[in-house]
Amino acid sequence: MVHRTLASITLGLALSLSGTLAHAATPEYYGRWAVSDEAPAYSSKGILYKTIDIAPCGNDFCGVSVADDSSCGDVLFRFFTTHTIDEELVGHGKWGKAKKKLEMGYVASDPDPAYMYLALGADDMDMSGREGSIPTFQANYKRQGDVACKAK
């Protein structure tokens, strides 16, 4: 009985710490991000991804569109914090009234500043290989400051 209780406490502590570590991994994504391409071209749907605020939303973290006048727009995507330890985040993002596959990653490489990349496309899109379709939208982002827009 003592061994089972000790094992339960140990497992509970391990799960608690792993949740804390996963949650602690997300701050690298938090902040305001703007497309860093020099001459980006946007479709009416792509303009929503020009500037994004990424912040906690409940137990998750969300990306919210930011307009040129800094007004807050739609929630574009949501990720569970348990996936923030993944090198690349894969889920779905808003694309007009539809959802598309979304791939996003954070890249830190000294001495260059860290950046984030994001791509949206068909379900067979694969940014890590040559198979699958090409993205409908893709961009690299640089951090622009603190979050002002959060998911409701």
Side-chain angles (χ1 to χ4, degrees), residues 76-93:
L76 301 172
F77 55 84
R78 175 184 297 258
F79 283 105
F80 297 124
T81 55
T82 56
H83 293 290
T84 58
I85 57 173
D86 298 344
E87 186 173 315
E88 183 174 66
L89 302 173
V90 178
H92 287 90

Side-chain angles (χ1 to χ4, degrees), residues 35 41-42 46 49-50 95 118-121 125 135-139 141:
V35 171
Y42 298 102
Y49 287 88
K50 183 178 178 184
W95 190 253
L118 183 144
L120 286 142
M125 177 187 75
T136 302
F137 174 87
Q138 70 180 36
Y141 292 79

Side-chain angles (χ1 to χ4, degrees), residues 30 55-63 75 77-79 81 150-152:
Y30 293 167
C57 53
N59 290 328
D60 304 330
F61 67 104
C62 297
V75 175
F77 55 84
R78 175 184 297 258
F79 283 105
T81 55
K150 294 185 179 181
K152 296 174 181 157

